[in-house]
Amino acid sequence: MRTFRATLPRTGLLATAVALTALTLTACQNGTGTQDEGRSTTPAASSSDRSTAAQGTEAPGTGSDSGSSVAHGSNAASHTGTGTGTGKGKGSTGGATGSGTARGTSDTAPVLCNGANTRVTAQEVSRPLNHMLITVKNTGSRTCSLPYYPVLRFDEMQWAPGGFEESRPQAVVTLAPGESGYAGVRLSSADGSGENGTTGHRLTVLFQGRTPHSDGGPTAIVSLPAKGVYYDSTLTATYWQTNAADALTW
């Protein structure tokens, strides 16, 4: 009897285990039980969450979104610290490029040559007769330009001599630092046809600006021989030239 009682409970346990296994298999096939519990412990992302994630992924990758980001940064500059940093950073980068280009153009463009940045000398020459050569040397640190021709005034003369239009160069003469430009001056007519001849002891050279007969800046006082320089009503200067030979052609 003892042996029979010990065997009966063991048989019941095996039957119970078989029944539980059958229930477990049935639950898996019906999509419930353990599988449902696994799904419920990890919530699925909502549609709004997926939309947000997608937008965050696409923004840096599209040109339109990148441009929009810069614009928002600029608009938010006065409101938030982040916006200020982004807005100013973008603005200062663009501004630096624009202003840098402007300044570069301004710094490299020739200034006007005049009495403030040149040394001017005058020398009478033997050929052609009754001629004088004016030399202008750029003593400044920037390239300067010599538009048109020098306007000459001896002493307190009340009239302004003109220039030889035939001597106009194809381009305005420009002088790099240390370079020189030249103008030839016909002091008087060789055949004596000139009028009101007189001797000048003080010569002032006036520079023209970028438009004819405009003020080009400070004048230059040029030393003359002690005996002075004779001139008459035919006094005329050439346009500025790059070499002395061209300046003495007229």
Side-chain angles (χ1 to χ4, degrees):
M1 294 299 292
R2 290 179 183 177
T3 302
F4 175 77
R5 289 174 182 172
T7 303
L8 182 60
R10 187 177 296 115
T11 303
L13 288 174
L14 290 174
T16 302
V18 172
L20 289 174
T21 301
L23 288 173
T24 300
L25 292 174
T26 302
C28 291
Q29 292 172 356
N30 292 335
T32 60
T34 303
Q35 193 170 17
D36 285 345
E37 290 175 358
R39 183 182 297 133
S40 64
T41 56
T42 305
S46 65
S47 60
S48 61
D49 290 340
R50 287 194 298 271
S51 175
T52 301
Q55 291 174 0
T57 302
E58 293 173 359
T62 60
S64 60
D65 287 341
S66 298
S68 174
S69 175
V70 174
H72 290 324
S74 300
N75 292 336
S78 60
H79 300 291
T80 65
T82 302
T84 301
T86 303
K88 289 184 177 179
K90 296 291 184 182
S92 61
T93 300
T97 302
S99 61
T101 304
R103 285 196 299 272
T105 305
S106 177
D107 289 345
T108 57
V111 298
L112 289 172
C113 299
N114 53 44
N117 55 14
T118 63
R119 183 174 69 250
V120 185
T121 59
Q123 177 185 4
E124 288 185 278
V125 296
S126 58
R127 292 287 185 275
L129 292 175
N130 308 327
H131 275 64
M132 180 173 65
L133 179 68
I134 295 179
T135 302
V136 173
K137 183 176 182 179
N138 183 356
T139 58
S141 59
R142 293 177 59 180
T143 298
C144 67
S145 61
L146 287 167
Y148 308 105
Y149 54 87
V151 178
L152 308 178
R153 185 174 67 199
F154 284 100
D155 300 323
E156 301 301 326
M157 63 188 296
Q158 299 300 309
W159 58 281
F164 290 106
E165 281 300 319
E166 299 87 348
S167 66
R168 183 194 291 265
Q170 293 183 348
V172 174
V173 172
T174 57
L175 306 178
E179 291 184 339
S180 297
Y182 307 89
V185 180
R186 183 183 64 188
L187 295 168
S188 60
S189 62
D191 60 4
S193 59
E195 300 177 348
N196 304 319
T198 186
T199 298
H201 296 278
R202 183 173 181 268
L203 175 62
T204 302
V205 175
L206 294 84
F207 297 85
Q208 298 191 56
R210 303 188 189 281
T211 57
H213 310 298
S214 61
D215 184 7
T219 61
I221 306 300
V222 182
S223 298
L224 296 176
K227 66 180 180 61
V229 173
Y230 180 83
Y231 67 95
D232 63 20
S233 60
T234 62
L235 177 67
T236 312
T238 68
Y239 278 69
W240 293 108
Q241 309 292 325
T242 56
N243 63 76
D246 289 343
L248 294 174
T249 301
W250 290 269

